[in-house]
Amino acid sequence: MKFNIDKCKVQGVKMTNIHDIAKWPIFSLLDESFFNVIKFACVFGSSGNEAIFVTKEDDVYSLGNNHNSCLGQGDVQSSLHPRKIECLCKKGVVDMAFGSGPHVVAVTGDGQIYSWGHNGYCQLGNGCTNSGLSPKLISNTGNLGSCKVTQIACGSHHTLALTEMGEMYAWGYNNCGQVGTGATANINTPRKVASVLAGKKVVSIACGQTFSLALTQHGEIYGWGYNGNGQLGLGNNVNQPSPCRVSSIQNTVVSQIVCGYAHALALSDTGVLFAWGANSYGQLGIGNKANLATATPIASDIGRFIEVAATHYNHVSTAMGENGTVYMWGQCRGQSITLPMETRFTSVDDVFACFASPAATWRPVTFENFLGRRALEKSLLKAFDDPETSDLKFLVEGKHIHVHKAILKIRCEHFRTMFQSHWGESGKDVIEISQFSYPVYHAFLHYLYTDKVELSPENAIGLLDLANSYCEMHLKRMCERIIKQGICVENAAMLMAAAIKYEAVELEDFCFKFSMNHLTAVVQTEAFQKLDEFTVKTLIKNAAQWGAFKY
């Protein structure tokens, strides 16, 4: 495999996790008391006119048109004001998916599945074709048994479920083989999808209207179902009732897959974006409207991508570049955009809220209430490192950073302790910092004012160390995300060593898997040569358990 080292050089990644609730019209009449308690929400329906959200108190609400009883209220009554879905409250709902049929499926933290809505094609998996007015438990139905489900996905009238063991189950409409049973009869209870996937661990699933995709732990894609537009990426237009390897992506480890109405997108672990399938609205981003039956790299002139998004509800594609820039293409508010177009959004989710038809979420989105807060944000940003208003300076590597004690005390437990009267730092106007670099400490203080981080993966390692030392768990997660998004062959060994040092277990596992997928190239890098003996031994031991060495 060949690598373009220049493309592995990552500039600063702008980290923000803000999804403005005001961008989704369905929430425009919500009482302000809801704004700060929404944990995550899904928007769906033929016009983006139905929504379900889960609060931080673990209550579940729905509002909107209630087509086919998809609000889960046990009735057919529509409402512009939220009503509780009583049977889901306090159940620990962590994920939801919806089909355009329509039907809705929810999964709880302990891996149980609930379904409701239209059921004319058995898509609820409850053993019959009667529509569900309210959520019913289906985890113990059919062959799924007591398996713990970790991810769900819906097509128009079929459903997929992924278990913690990496096994996949499917049910519902199967006229094109989208359930993956090898036949075309509808399936009314969860049935295991095996065939060529037997013995392979699936880590991600996605559904188009009438086709399905699965991603294995080794970065391989498998597709099945309707293929009239080449959406299975097999090089032909023949429907497939059983999973088939998308072999048009060679010598590439895929890290993310998504499905549109009749097209698919995949992102490699080195940031290369692939597209295939229907292209009547330019949703493949190749500059024309010709369908593609094989996976094709796109937008290489833009550089590395870190996230890609699409939903079976519409013909829109969107992706985020390594610097945080969001691009969109496809059917955007009635216009056909055939090449990725740069936007001013800070989240791919906002593209679906503002330009998709219908405006449906491609995943459950987390909201933060920023109504009335934008002016405050601007004021805080202006106050950061402002010598005219500050009452404290940090001296780092000979440079001053001007801050305000009150803000630091409000935002950080470390500073609340530091500025107590019996501490020496409490009365100082200048505090010298020697254990962290200027870019790292400046980024940390900037984060306290803005809740954002702009750093390269290399500097994010230092900030990860600081977050670990100061017990800033949210900041630590942001640093881990920056590092994941910026990993490449040249820095993988260094990033894994840092993850081991700072006891970031999830990050260490991510870096290890990336290194295993590119082992030949990684061990030849300068970063690998600089690894200490303990890290090398740890890598060798884990690689052996992974199966990298053969007898």
Side-chain angles (χ1 to χ4, degrees), residues 184-489:
T184 56
N186 295 346
I187 303 300
N188 61 11
T189 58
R191 181 174 297 184
K192 188 175 180 179
V193 181
S195 184
V196 296
L197 287 173
K200 297 180 182 293
K201 184 176 182 180
V202 175
V203 295
S204 184
I205 52 178
C207 292
Q209 279 277 303
T210 52
F211 71 102
S212 307
L213 294 182
L215 177 66
T216 72
Q217 66 174 344
H218 296 302
E220 300 171 345
I221 308 175
Y222 290 81
W224 59 98
Y226 183 67
N227 194 33
N229 300 290
Q231 53 262 64
L232 299 186
L234 303 177
N236 58 49
N237 298 100
V238 180
N239 294 351
Q240 297 294 334
S242 298
C244 296
R245 171 84 186 276
V246 182
S247 57
S248 53
I249 300 182
Q250 293 286 348
N251 301 320
T252 299
V253 178
V254 174
S255 59
Q256 187 189 357
I257 53 171
V258 292
C259 294
Y261 185 98
H263 76 288
L265 302 169
L267 184 64
S268 79
D269 63 351
T270 56
V272 179
L273 185 57
F274 295 84
W276 63 94
N279 195 32
S280 54
Y281 301 96
Q283 59 265 45
L284 298 187
I286 57 176
N288 58 49
K289 296 183 180 180
N291 294 352
L292 291 175
T294 57
T296 303
I298 69 167
S300 58
D301 57 315
I302 291 176
R304 179 175 181 149
F305 289 93
I306 60 175
E307 186 175 31
V308 61
T311 169
H312 72 280
Y313 251 73
N314 50 52
H315 310 280
V316 172
S317 302
T318 177
M320 180 181 286
E322 63 182 355
N323 64 352
T325 301
V326 174
Y327 298 85
M328 68 179 188
W329 60 100
Q331 189 183 35
C332 301
R333 284 199 171 225
Q335 299 184 56
S336 294
I337 300 175
T338 61
L339 286 172
M341 174 182 177
E342 184 175 333
T343 74
R344 298 174 63 184
F345 296 128
T346 58
S347 166
V348 293
D349 301 273
D350 294 341
V351 170
F352 297 99
C354 300
F355 280 91
S357 300
T361 52
W362 73 285
R363 63 178 174 188
V365 294
T366 303
F367 294 113
E368 294 184 24
N369 174 30
F370 277 72
L371 298 178
R373 186 174 165 183
R374 290 183 177 86
L376 176 60
E377 280 185 334
K378 292 180 179 179
S379 298
L380 285 174
L381 180 59
K382 185 178 180 180
F384 175 64
D385 208 9
D386 179 13
E388 293 186 7
T389 61
S390 72
D391 56 3
L392 175 67
K393 292 183 288 187
F394 284 99
L395 179 62
V396 190
E397 296 181 339
K399 301 177 184 178
H400 284 118
I401 308 173
H402 302 82
V403 293
H404 308 76
K405 287 184 180 179
I407 292 177
L408 301 191
K409 289 168 68 176
I410 291 171
R411 289 281 286 145
C412 180
E413 180 65 33
H414 172 80
F415 290 122
R416 278 195 291 274
T417 302
M418 176 185 287
F419 296 138
Q420 291 179 8
S421 58
H422 59 276
W423 279 62
E425 287 84 352
S426 178
K428 292 183 177 180
D429 296 325
V430 180
I431 299 176
E432 185 172 359
I433 301 296
S434 58
Q435 62 269 46
F436 300 106
S437 69
Y438 175 83
V440 165
Y441 216 75
H442 185 276
F444 169 57
L445 296 174
H446 182 268
Y447 158 78
L448 295 181
Y449 278 73
T450 65
D451 210 31
K452 300 175 184 178
V453 176
E454 298 181 26
L455 273 182
S456 67
E458 289 74 18
N459 280 326
I461 293 174
L463 190 57
L464 177 65
D465 182 20
L466 184 152
N468 211 41
S469 300
Y470 288 9
C471 298
E472 290 285 336
M473 292 300 104
H474 177 63
L475 177 59
K476 183 177 180 179
R477 288 191 294 271
M478 292 179 75
C479 292
E480 291 180 2
R481 184 178 173 189
I482 289 175
I483 293 170
K484 287 180 180 180
Q485 292 174 343
I487 195 170
C488 66
V489 167

